Amino acid sequence: MPVVFNPFEPGFFDDPYHQYRQLREQDPVHLSPLGLWMLFDYDDCFALLRNPRTSVDLANEHELSTEARAERLRMFQELFPDRSPRESTGILFVDPPDHTRLRSLMSKVFTPRRVEQLRGTVQELVDELLDEVTTEGRMDLIADLAFPLPFTVISEMLGMPEADRLQLREWSHAMVKMLDPILTPEEMRSAVTAAEHMFDHIAEVIRWKRDHLAEDLLSALITAEEGGDVLSSEELTDQVSLLFVAGHETTVNLIGNGVLALLRNRPQLELLQRDHSLDANAVDELLRYDSPVQFSRRITREEVRFGDRVIEPGRFVMTCLGSANHDPAVFGDDADQLDVRRATAGRHLAFGSGIHHCLGAALARLEGQVAIGTLVRRFPDLDLATDQPRWNNRIVLRGLEELPLTFTPTTARARAG
């Protein structure tokens, strides 16, 4: 039987890498039954992500080039007959020159040097969150650490006022399902409704912030918009929404997936517990091993060739970052194994590549280093409370819904060095 990309295959969300390996070995430039072109080996993914003649703007797609995209439009029209789909002007979905203008405006806040200045703040937040569970001897990693940490950090960077954290998480979680190439009518309805609530919330925050300008990213974006030619009102709302949602969703997955991988590979966990110098490389290896973002999309603007396969202009292409990060041609014959000392770990594509390389990569790395390193050293006997963790069943943003853990209770201030 020819191998096909099939997220409905039993066990896919527990371990998609088995299917990726088959596709990478047998059909690395794959035309799925949904009409999606998909790339599975490292070199092809890297080349397309960095190809300047590709686009992320859906306006460049040729007449809804895939069955999946056409079905999505039909579904939207049936669910919302009085509306037209709203395409985001967020930096992730626009091409130069708009992309260049927006990235230049926002990148100053996310430089490695500026992000490193947040290390003390991130460490303090991690310590406080672990203080809240340390006497209990158990925790849900996602609810107690992986979600509140990046949520709090991006909220403070933006200068957003206090809000209902759980409600915002629910909206955000529903919205990102729209990134998947396949979704049900119920998921689309939930995503669109959540987006409406999120945009209303952000519009209210922007109105509040105009009267409370400060030294934060949201104030800078508002000031730029009022300058007349930098951000339109729609762009302002979309950038804040994207920064807020992307600013925590992917890091939640990094921390959750990473801790699970370490607990399933105890010798690697013990190496990290003993050696602080491994923290940076370990996070890159965890990003490679079980990538928070599994796919990144591009649209071809001209004919693209991969060996004897030809992808026509205007076609929607998914680069499988999760598969590329397990390619033995780049990471060796042990690419399917976890190795926190792997010399080539930093070559992963978990943050994409090219002009759309993740703006918050340095921040995600910092949060992952501090959160994971502190957790595994503070609780040296940390262990899984279940053999079957619950995945979010997302194709693009792979992560856990919850991850119950156990450890020996200690006093609240007994922290590891």
Side-chain angles (χ1 to χ4, degrees), residues 19 28 196 328 352 390:
Q19 190 177 121
E196 290 174 345
R390 190 159 63 92

Side-chain angles (χ1 to χ4, degrees), residues 285 288-289 326 328 331-339 342 344:
E285 174 66 355
R288 182 201 71 83
Y289 181 76
H326 281 240
F331 299 104
D333 292 338
D334 65 344
D336 287 334
Q337 300 174 25
L338 183 69
D339 179 3
R342 186 181 302 275
T344 56

